[in-house]
């Protein structure tokens, strides 16, 4: 088993390299990068200066040069140097490219990125003026809280429910629970989140649960028990909104997997030997049926941890990695984009290894070393 784990860990390296490389070149050659956005913003400001100058009779473009010095562009200002029909000064464009690191060839930028990422040096955000690791560390508690608790609740509810539905297949319990989970799956999570805010977060009716962040502003003065309670009060609504549509697929997968195993020959043989249904279910069926359920754990966790929480974070004013990645994509903040991609890819690969190891825990007959 140790050799298998080592091989899988070594396989992570080329996999990460391939994913990062493909995404690097796709994003780099895509239009609308940070340089294009900066130039467009400056040209927009230049047009505004020209329009206002015509209205007031003054040329604001004459004072634009005062906002640009040898040190570069002043942040937060429209550093425009209007040159009439010639557009922006090439020196200004060159300064913009240098600021965002695009003054170097793409091959040099690629090799520098690989060198930095090998040591987890993700650089600084292009637009936030902070280190990428600092931004990720700041947003990580929100995403961990949403992803971890949502995934845990979904698995703790769906697996027992799916087993019960398989045992009671065709009964009223099976019919009503199927209806409930399918209806929950049909409700968009963001729409349900808005409904929860309106009903329970002071929207129009009750104000039972708070919004914004994981803790209240005055939580520092709470006792340990008070902090824990305050933490979960902030998470009740967003987690409820995330899990409402997550039960259906896992519940039905568990049910169908158990139904498939229940009708196999070894179950009939176990019954003929006089084993109880509970013993057959737990000692024989469970071990075989759960393999397919566990195999999907990495995808479920990653989706809950990142992509599935973006709208929830927006609605409940939670600043997590999902929102950070979305904002970085819209702004073309390449260091943040690649850092989040790198971290989540690495996390997904490690979780895939964990799910493989869980196979051997559930079914000790599985031996990855014996495979050829």
């Amino acid at each position: 088993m140790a050799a298998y784990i080592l091989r899988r860990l070594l396989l992570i390296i080329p996999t990460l390299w391939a994913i990062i490389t493909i995404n690097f070149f796709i994003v780099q050659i895509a239009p609308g990068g940070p340089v294009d956005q900066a130039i467009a913003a400056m040209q927009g400001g230049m047009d505004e200066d020209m329009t206002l100058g015509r209205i007031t009779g003054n040329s604001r473009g004459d004072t634009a040069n005062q906002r640009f010095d040898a040190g570069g562009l002043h942040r937060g200002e429209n550093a425009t140097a209007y040159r009439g029909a010639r557009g922006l000064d090439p020196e200004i464009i060159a300064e913009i490219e240098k600021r965002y690191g695009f003054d170097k060839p793409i091959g040099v930028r690629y090799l520098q990125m690989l060198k930095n990422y090998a040591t987890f040096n993700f650089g600084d955000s292009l637009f936030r003026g902070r280190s990428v690791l600092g931004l990720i560390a700041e947003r990580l508690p929100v995403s961990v809280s949403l992803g971890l608790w949502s995934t845990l609740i979904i698995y703790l509810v769906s697996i027992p429910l799916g087993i019960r539905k398989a045992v009671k297949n065709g009964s009223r319990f099976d019919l009503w629970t199927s209806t409930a989970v399918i209806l929950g799956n049909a409700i968009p999570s963001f729409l349900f989140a808005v409904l929860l805010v309106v009903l329970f977060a002071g929207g129009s009716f009750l104000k039972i649960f708070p919004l914004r962040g994981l803790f209240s502003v005055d939580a520092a003065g709470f006792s340990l028990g008070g902090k824990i309670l305050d933490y979960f009060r902030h998470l009740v609504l967003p987690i409820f909104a995330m899990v409402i549509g997550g039960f259906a697929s896992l519940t039905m997968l568990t049910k169908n997997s158990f139904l498939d195993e229940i009708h196999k020959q070894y179950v009939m043989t176990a019954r003929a030997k006089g084993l109880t249904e509970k013993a057959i279910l737990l000692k024989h069926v469970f071990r075989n049926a759960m393999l397919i359920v566990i195999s999907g754990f990495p995808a479920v966790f990653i989706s809950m941890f990142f992509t599935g929480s973006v709208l929830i974070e927006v609605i409940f004013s939670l600043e997590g990695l999902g929102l950070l990645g979305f904002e970085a994509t819209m702004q073309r903040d390449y260091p943040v984009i690649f850092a989040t991609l790198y971290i989540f890819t690495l996390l997904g690969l490690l979780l895939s290894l964990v799910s493989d190891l869980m196979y051997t825990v559930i079914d000790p007959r599985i031996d990855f070393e014996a495979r050829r």
Side-chain angles (χ1 to χ4, degrees):
M1 181 59 67
Y4 172 77
I5 295 176
L6 180 60
R7 287 197 302 269
R8 287 292 300 271
L9 291 176
L10 292 176
L11 186 61
I12 289 177
I13 298 175
T15 306
L16 270 177
W17 169 79
I19 293 175
I20 290 296
T21 298
I22 293 173
N23 283 274
F24 174 84
F25 286 103
I26 290 177
V27 171
Q28 290 287 329
I29 64 178
V35 174
D36 294 335
Q37 291 192 10
I39 292 175
M42 293 180 64
Q43 289 175 335
M46 185 174 61
D47 293 339
E48 180 184 354
D49 287 344
M50 178 176 162
T51 301
L52 291 176
R54 288 174 178 172
I55 294 174
T56 61
N58 299 320
S59 177
R60 293 177 62 188
D62 294 339
T63 61
N65 285 325
Q66 299 174 4
R67 292 178 247 167
F68 182 81
D69 55 18
L73 299 175
H74 294 292
R75 293 187 179 182
E77 298 179 352
N78 291 325
T80 59
Y82 180 57
R83 297 286 190 269
R86 291 180 295 170
L88 295 176
D89 193 313
E91 294 182 358
I92 297 179
I93 297 178
E95 180 64 28
I96 296 174
E97 293 177 343
K98 182 178 180 180
R99 171 189 291 182
Y100 294 122
F102 284 80
D103 57 328
K104 301 175 182 178
I106 188 172
V108 175
R109 300 200 304 271
Y110 169 69
L111 293 177
Q112 184 65 40
M113 183 199 68
L114 292 182
K115 178 182 177 181
N116 292 336
Y117 279 26
T119 58
F120 287 88
N121 177 17
F122 300 114
D124 296 330
S125 169
L126 298 180
F127 300 99
R128 300 174 185 269
R130 296 180 54 190
S131 69
V132 175
L133 278 179
L135 287 171
I136 293 177
E138 181 183 285
R139 305 290 187 95
L140 193 60
V142 171
S143 293
V144 169
S145 297
L146 293 177
L148 180 62
W149 293 116
S150 299
T151 306
L152 184 62
I153 291 173
I154 288 175
Y155 268 77
L156 289 178
V157 172
S158 297
I159 292 177
L161 181 59
I163 296 174
R164 186 68 176 173
K165 285 172 64 64
V167 174
K168 299 289 185 179
N169 184 40
S171 65
R172 287 187 177 182
F173 173 82
D174 182 34
L175 176 62
W176 286 110
T177 52
S178 295
T179 304
V181 296
I182 291 174
L183 286 176
N185 186 59
I187 301 175
S189 60
F190 71 91
L191 184 61
F192 189 68
V194 172
L195 179 63
L196 292 176
V197 171
V198 172
L199 293 178
F200 303 110
S204 299
F205 296 91
L206 304 175
K207 190 174 182 181
I208 302 175
F209 300 101
L211 296 175
R212 298 187 181 279
L214 296 179
F215 296 95
S216 300
V217 178
D218 55 347
F222 294 175
S223 63
L224 179 59
K227 290 180 180 178
I228 295 175
L229 180 61
D230 184 63
Y231 169 76
F232 282 108
R233 286 184 67 241
H234 280 79
L235 286 178
V236 167
L237 295 186
I239 289 179
F240 193 21
M242 290 180 66
V243 303
I244 189 66
F247 296 120
S249 58
L250 185 59
T251 298
M252 301 310 295
L253 176 63
T254 304
K255 175 191 173 182
N256 293 332
S257 180
F258 272 79
L259 279 177
D260 183 58
E261 294 294 327
I262 286 173
H263 293 94
K264 288 186 176 180
Q265 184 64 43
Y266 74 89
V267 175
M268 298 180 184
T269 303
R271 286 173 180 161
K273 291 181 178 180
L275 293 179
T276 63
E277 290 295 324
K278 184 177 181 180
I280 294 173
L281 193 65
L282 295 179
K283 294 183 178 180
H284 299 280
V285 176
F286 183 85
R287 186 167 57 183
N288 296 320
M290 284 302 296
L291 295 178
I292 190 173
V293 176
I294 289 179
S295 64
F297 174 77
V300 173
F301 184 76
I302 291 296
S303 64
M304 283 292 178
F305 196 76
F306 183 64
T307 57
S309 64
V310 176
L311 292 176
I312 302 299
E313 291 175 11
V314 173
I315 294 172
F316 292 99
S317 301
L318 295 169
E319 295 186 350
L321 291 178
L323 184 59
L324 176 65
F326 174 76
E327 292 173 346
T329 302
M330 297 301 295
Q331 296 174 337
R332 302 298 195 273
D333 197 342
Y334 291 155
V336 178
I337 293 175
F338 289 124
T340 53
L341 173 66
Y342 183 87
I343 290 174
F344 280 102
T345 301
L346 178 61
L347 182 61
L349 293 172
L350 292 175
L351 286 176
S352 178
L353 174 59
V354 171
S355 67
D356 285 351
L357 297 179
M358 285 299 296
Y359 289 159
T360 61
V361 174
I362 292 178
D363 192 348
R365 296 173 300 176
I366 297 177
D367 184 8
F368 291 106
E369 291 293 339
R371 296 191 306 172
R372 294 291 184 267

